Amino acid sequence: MLDTFQGLPVHALIVHATVVLLPLAAIAVALAAVHARFRAWIGWIAPAAAVACVVLTQLTVMSGNKLYARFERVHGVSKDLEHHKSLAHLLIWLVIPLAVIAVASYFLHRREDASKAVLGLVGALAVASAVSVMVDVALIGHAGATSAWKPIVENTNR
């Protein structure tokens, strides 16, 4: 299912959605947790986007595993590709907490009796989680681009 679509690897198609939507969701979750006006404006969209990104991330990793297996059979695996894969497999373990924090923050901010200390802690966790997700996405993207393009650039520099 997540192997190819019209002759192209699904990973090459779906990864772009992940690279755009996941950082946007992370920023929205962090802002909603610490900024009342933004939270009032975005409402349930931030936690819903974070939960959707759990699914999107898993689909991206699954499609990447399919492409990795194809590539391994034909070309073997470089250290750059292996690094890309290991960073990508970490991402879901960063996105799940982001989604949990987003949902918790959404419901805690709706409670009249939520303490400022708890809301402050949730805000700090949301920001830390968002930053960790965005850093990993950037590292994954760099490792993926390196594994894809470095051999081509090296072979055309002669």
Side-chain angles (χ1 to χ4, degrees), residues 21-22 24-33 38-55 95-110 126:
L21 297 177
L22 185 51
L24 286 175
I27 291 167
V29 167
L31 282 174
F38 183 81
R39 182 172 48 255
W41 175 77
I42 200 151
W44 57 268
I45 295 171
V51 170
C53 282
V54 171
V55 175
V95 177
I96 290 171
L98 179 73
V100 170
I101 292 165
V103 171
S105 177
Y106 175 77
F107 285 110
L108 281 171
H109 278 97
R110 296 174 61 86

Side-chain angles (χ1 to χ4, degrees), residues 53-124:
C53 282
V54 171
V55 175
L56 181 60
T57 299
Q58 189 59 32
L59 292 173
T60 305
V61 169
M62 290 167 63
S63 66
N65 287 338
K66 292 281 191 176
L67 181 57
Y68 179 92
R70 279 180 171 271
F71 199 85
E72 185 176 35
R73 283 192 304 271
V74 176
H75 301 287
V77 175
S78 68
K79 285 200 292 190
D80 292 326
L81 186 57
E82 194 62 47
H83 182 61
H84 173 68
K85 182 180 177 183
S86 68
L87 288 171
H89 283 181
L90 169 66
L91 186 59
I92 192 69
W93 301 110
L94 300 174
V95 177
I96 290 171
L98 179 73
V100 170
I101 292 165
V103 171
S105 177
Y106 175 77
F107 285 110
L108 281 171
H109 278 97
R110 296 174 61 86
R111 292 182 58 139
E112 303 266 335
D113 62 343
S115 76
K116 289 190 186 273
V118 170
L119 293 176
L121 176 62
V122 169

